[in-house]
Amino acid sequence: MVVVTGAALALTTCVPGGSGGIGDGAAGDREARYRRVIEDPHPRPADVIEAAGAPAGVVRADDGSLLLTYDAGNVEDDEGPAATAWRIVGPDGRTVVEQAEHADAEAARAAFKGVRGGFVRVPPGEGAEGTYALDARGKRREVVVTGGPLAPRPGDVLLAEVEPSFIYRPATRTVAPPAAVPESAVRLAVDERGTVWSLDQPLTEDPERVVWQRDGRTLGSRAVPNPYAGGVLAARGGAAALSLIRGDGVRGLLVTTDGGAHWRTLLDGAIPFRDFEQDPQSLVLELLADGRLLVGEEAGRYWLATDRANRVFHELKTPAAFTSLTVDGTVLYGIADATTATYNPVKGEGLWISRDGGRGWRQYEQRG
């Protein structure tokens, strides 16, 4: 997730066209430069960033610093050479440090989360090995991977929400599985209060349940209504939402706004769930700091609740086709990029930011 302060970014107004790509030369020049970047055993970060065009992800540390990740893959095949880079931008919007490396197109790309004091890498595999922290100056810090679970507490960050799941504790730079989670939990969300919300999917004929816990104690549970199965789970500030799946698609949401005391189902209505075409497990489902829900499909359409009651939604109008959309606080962050590797930029390519619920958008520009 991302939060961006006013000083952190230079922004331009929404205009036709896009940013990024490999420069303004002919297509053949762009292709040649792109190939040189991904085949270079020691690529320069600026070259990788220029080749990638748009960031693959953006996260924010508590001091306002940003970490942007970039990927440049093999265009002709899903195998072969690739290049990756990350850049940390300080609160003043200027580059603090950047790093790039040669990679393999099939290798997992590095992903980070913003935390207190800097950033932490998301575990690249099924275990926690390969996880490390970066401070706001880009200095690498080792993390402690514990053998036993930890009961999440306020300030902990969920690094992996599907089995195997891990939390990160910034105060001690510790990575561990969350404690007391039901053995049959298939999805997790940890809110800023340290409450763990999980989707319990038993092997018996019992219904699936949403379970919420704190300090290792179960606070309550709610059965997923028939005839639905649970999907993606999100939680923040006492609110939680679970997508409801029937057949091969999302058909609605199960929502609470008062810490689990009351739940209601949202079926169709303002959100045309039956028009959703993608894998239901890849649904975009996030909660803003004020309790409003964001719902949609990557590279598709998105809807935002008009208030924290989450009863009425409106479709977002975006300046470009976003390949990803996320939130932090009440700010929306959309990335427009090609859905597959290409030598050419797409229309509106880059990072876009809205601070007013999607009514107005500004495009990110690096200050240098």
Side-chain angles (χ1 to χ4, degrees), residues 69-115:
T69 53
Y70 296 86
D71 299 329
N74 193 344
V75 173
E76 282 79 14
D77 200 344
D78 58 2
E79 300 178 349
T84 65
W86 55 259
R87 169 182 281 170
I88 292 178
V89 179
D92 62 356
R94 299 188 181 278
T95 298
V96 175
V97 63
E98 55 191 14
Q99 179 176 301
E101 62 182 39
H102 182 68
D104 186 281
E106 295 179 286
R109 298 295 182 259
F112 296 85
K113 290 198 175 184
V115 297

Side-chain angles (χ1 to χ4, degrees), residues 36-361:
R36 284 198 298 270
V37 170
I38 65 172
E39 293 172 0
D40 189 340
H42 305 288
R44 296 193 317 128
D47 292 340
V48 177
I49 291 168
E50 183 184 19
V58 189
V59 293
R60 178 193 181 272
D62 60 336
D63 72 341
S65 298
L66 304 177
L67 188 151
L68 299 89
T69 53
Y70 296 86
D71 299 329
N74 193 344
V75 173
E76 282 79 14
D77 200 344
D78 58 2
E79 300 178 349
T84 65
W86 55 259
R87 169 182 281 170
I88 292 178
V89 179
D92 62 356
R94 299 188 181 278
T95 298
V96 175
V97 63
E98 55 191 14
Q99 179 176 301
E101 62 182 39
H102 182 68
D104 186 281
E106 295 179 286
R109 298 295 182 259
F112 296 85
K113 290 198 175 184
V115 297
R116 180 162 49 97
F119 312 93
V120 61
R121 185 184 181 184
V122 175
E126 293 188 355
E129 292 74 16
T131 305
Y132 58 85
L134 293 171
D135 66 19
R137 306 300 299 177
K139 184 176 181 180
R140 182 163 169 162
R141 308 283 188 177
E142 297 304 316
V143 302
V144 177
V145 179
T146 69
L150 288 177
R153 63 190 188 193
D156 289 351
V157 176
L158 182 65
L159 290 184
E161 60 271 13
V162 294
E163 186 66 27
S165 55
F166 297 97
I167 58 170
Y168 175 71
R169 181 159 296 167
T172 58
R173 292 203 295 271
T174 301
V175 177
V181 175
E183 291 185 2
S184 51
V186 294
R187 283 275 185 174
L188 287 183
V190 177
D191 65 24
E192 73 280 7
R193 302 174 180 178
T195 304
V196 179
W197 302 75
S198 61
L199 172 63
D200 184 15
Q201 194 176 74
L203 298 177
T204 65
E205 295 184 358
D206 292 337
E208 297 180 358
R209 306 189 72 86
V210 178
V211 179
W212 55 103
Q213 302 166 297
R214 190 180 301 149
D215 298 324
R217 297 182 298 106
T218 298
L219 303 178
S221 69
R222 171 63 158 82
V224 176
N226 273 327
Y228 303 102
V232 178
L233 181 65
R236 183 185 179 100
L242 175 74
S243 63
L244 298 175
I245 299 173
R246 186 176 185 184
D248 58 357
V250 175
R251 294 294 178 261
L253 302 173
L254 179 64
V255 179
T256 181
T257 58
D258 56 9
H262 302 88
W263 294 80
R264 71 176 188 279
T265 55
L266 304 176
L267 304 175
D268 291 324
I271 304 175
F273 290 109
R274 293 188 180 276
D275 293 341
F276 285 14
E277 299 177 348
Q278 298 180 18
D279 181 350
Q281 296 298 336
S282 64
L283 182 79
V284 176
L285 182 63
E286 297 202 44
L287 279 155
L288 279 66
D290 56 14
R292 289 180 294 163
L293 268 170
L294 173 71
V295 186
E297 293 188 295
E298 291 186 354
R301 300 161 66 190
Y302 302 90
W303 288 262
L304 181 65
T306 58
D307 58 40
R308 74 178 315 273
N310 292 312
R311 295 182 182 275
V312 180
F313 291 77
H314 67 274
E315 185 174 355
L316 292 178
K317 294 182 178 180
T318 60
F322 290 160
T323 47
S324 67
L325 180 63
T326 187
V327 304
D328 200 301
T330 57
V331 185
L332 308 179
Y333 305 89
I335 293 176
D337 199 359
T339 55
T340 57
T342 176
Y343 300 122
N344 300 317
V346 299
K347 183 179 180 180
E349 184 166 317
L351 173 65
W352 295 82
I353 301 171
S354 176
R355 303 179 185 278
D356 58 5
R359 290 186 293 273
W361 295 87

